Amino acid sequence: MANFTINRLNTSLGIVKLSGEFELTGSINICQLSIMGTDGWQALDIDHQHSQNLIKQIQTQIITHLCSKLD
């Protein structure tokens, strides 16, 4: 697994920043996740069900972004 940090990613659910680990097989493990709110970055508890649902919904967008950086 390779560590990664994305400082700003526009997704279908909003602007996020995150860090974690990525495997070339397409598997990701998110360690930190924040979403842009009206008052700036809001850190999310990645263990919370809402955060897990958010990650599942944008997982393809995250993987696409990471793969595009490998080219």
Side-chain angles (χ1 to χ4, degrees), residues 19-61:
S19 64
E21 298 173 322
F22 174 64
E23 282 189 30
L24 294 178
T25 61
S27 172
I28 60 172
N29 180 30
I30 305 298
C31 298
Q32 292 182 323
L33 176 64
S34 298
I35 192 162
M36 180 63 78
T38 56
D39 294 329
W41 291 110
Q42 300 286 193
L44 301 177
D45 177 1
I46 59 169
D47 295 324
H48 192 275
Q49 186 62 44
H50 175 74
S51 299
Q52 289 297 312
N53 290 340
L54 175 71
I55 291 169
K56 286 178 186 174
Q57 291 177 41
I58 64 172
Q59 183 171 357
T60 301
Q61 296 167 71

